[in-house]
Amino acid sequence: MAKEEIFPLVDESGNIIGSATRKECHSGSMLLHPVVHLHIFNTKGELFLQKRSSSKDIQPGKWDTAVGGHIDLGENVDLALRREAREELGVQAFEPTFNYSYLWESTVERELVYSYRTVYEGPFTIDPVELDEGRFWPMEEIEKQMDNDIFTGNFKKEFAMLKELDLSQK
């Protein structure tokens, strides 16, 4: 039997104030827990997106940030970011740049998101349990598809925030 994941609970500043299971955090309890996101650009300025596995408990089958995952209890942001990139896409050698952090709330959970970006061309080794597929998207294509309900709500919010950053320093 798989061991139940334990997440740290945090306040809005990211200070650890407790812990809870994945199930408790995703049950509508609105327990604030931290996550990491990594936006991966290629040198042409295209953004890599993952299509979430149709078996996921949250937002199945939707296109989302290249890498996204929970910070485990006892793990720091950098370790979680590198672990998730390795697990989901097989990406190991990258230099992350911090974008911002923000609070995200859906109908079933509440997260403190730490968002980063990097430039990486590949290769990718997609984890078939976590993702159905992944590919680079031209920014214009993402813009055109924004109203078609193919992206997670969280990605839509982050994409708008990303566009406000000066990405010439990718």
Side-chain angles (χ1 to χ4, degrees), residues 74-106:
E75 190 175 44
N76 68 32
V77 173
D78 186 65
L79 284 174
L81 188 68
R82 292 180 185 284
R83 175 183 50 76
E84 289 289 345
R86 185 178 63 251
E87 288 176 358
E88 293 183 1
L89 298 176
V91 175
Q92 297 193 49
F94 67 96
E95 288 305 316
T97 300
F98 180 71
N99 294 328
Y100 39 72
S101 61
Y102 67 96
L103 294 176
W104 171 254
E105 190 171 311
S106 73

Side-chain angles (χ1 to χ4, degrees), residues 136-153:
F136 281 107
W137 292 61
M139 300 296 269
E140 307 77 45
E141 185 181 351
I142 295 171
E143 291 274 3
K144 286 179 190 166
Q145 296 290 334
M146 199 50 71
D147 294 330
N148 290 338
D149 198 36
I150 63 170
F151 302 114
T152 65

